[in-house]
Amino acid sequence: MSKSGGKKTPLVAENRYGAKKTKRKPVKRKPATKRKRRTPARKRGPIVGFFLKILRWCFRLIWKVTWRVTAVVALVVGLAVGYIYTTLPDVTELLDGRARGSVTLLDYEGEVFAWRGDQFGGEVTAQTVSKHLKNAVVATEDKRFYRHVGISPRGVASAVRINLSEGRGPLSGHGGSTITQQTAKLLCLGVEYDKDQWKDEAAYVNDCRRGSMSRKIKEAVYALAMEAKYTKDQILSIYLNRAYMGGGA
């Protein structure tokens, strides 16, 4: 046998019978979506652009001033609350459970020498008083007493709306004060009676009951300090001992 000079290709088992031809499925192409041409934005006139720049500048200025003033007010209120917090006495000193009469007799030097009339029955607390009285006071005076932090902006706004609708001033009539604020007023903001400063106790009480805006702000700050110092039931106990509940109560 003659040997051929050409090289033979090696036989591979897989390619012995030839590769099977597989038919490819035609790929369905999605129809090309027509892109909508963007309409060019209308150019603003120079006058409109000028006024828009002024408005943006005003809004930025108002925002910068607002948050800075808010931060300063919050800092001042926080310092005032912290100071009042340190001056508040123990709750037992504020219950005012003294056994005294409805008429106080003074001598010529202004010293008490006798009491006449009905005697107070001693201290009461939110735990010892009837639950019906407790619930009635909360429902009547401040139904959100256990949910706010001493002041209720919602209650103040509602009181202002009612006063204006009835033809009075915004702070005349309904005050929107919480039980904590009323307690602060009954405590006269921690200021004790001084006969050298007030003509008599009636003048002292009238001064404590003033309803001016500055007085309302002081009561709100004092109420926040009380909420930080005492519990809700302790504040309610002070209120029950000092608030007038009617003759013989």
Side-chain angles (χ1 to χ4, degrees), residues 30-195:
K30 296 181 179 179
T33 57
K34 295 182 179 180
R35 295 182 180 179
K36 295 182 180 179
R37 294 181 179 180
R38 295 182 179 179
T39 56
R42 295 181 181 178
K43 295 183 179 180
R44 299 187 180 96
I47 299 177
V48 176
F50 174 74
F51 280 108
L52 288 176
K53 288 182 180 179
I54 292 179
L55 288 175
R56 291 171 185 168
W57 181 82
C58 291
F59 282 129
R60 290 174 183 172
L61 180 63
I62 292 172
W63 168 248
K64 291 179 180 179
V65 172
T66 301
W67 79 261
R68 283 175 171 82
V69 170
T70 303
V72 172
V73 171
L75 179 61
V76 172
V77 171
L79 292 174
V81 170
Y83 172 74
I84 296 174
Y85 178 90
T86 59
T87 61
L88 289 174
D90 189 76
V91 65
T92 56
E93 300 180 20
L94 301 177
L95 292 179
D96 191 26
R98 294 170 292 172
R100 62 180 184 179
S102 58
V103 178
T104 305
L105 302 179
L106 308 177
D107 57 17
Y108 67 95
E109 294 180 351
E111 300 295 334
V112 179
F113 69 89
W115 292 299
R116 294 292 183 269
D118 297 333
Q119 301 292 315
F120 290 98
E123 300 175 357
V124 295
T125 64
Q127 290 78 20
T128 59
V129 77
S130 170
K131 66 176 182 179
H132 302 294
L133 175 61
K134 177 181 175 180
N135 295 334
V137 170
V138 172
T140 305
E141 299 294 334
D142 184 8
K143 61 183 179 181
R144 288 183 290 273
F145 173 65
Y146 286 98
R147 297 195 297 270
H148 59 64
V149 294
I151 56 177
S152 176
R154 179 180 175 183
V156 173
S158 177
V160 170
R161 179 182 59 81
I162 294 173
N163 292 334
L164 293 177
S165 64
E166 293 179 354
R168 296 193 296 263
L171 298 178
S172 301
H174 301 277
S177 298
T178 63
I179 288 180
T180 312
Q181 288 177 270
Q182 295 181 46
T183 306
K185 181 183 290 186
L186 292 172
L187 295 174
C188 202
L189 303 180
V191 179
E192 297 182 358
Y193 171 69
D194 186 1
K195 60 182 179 181

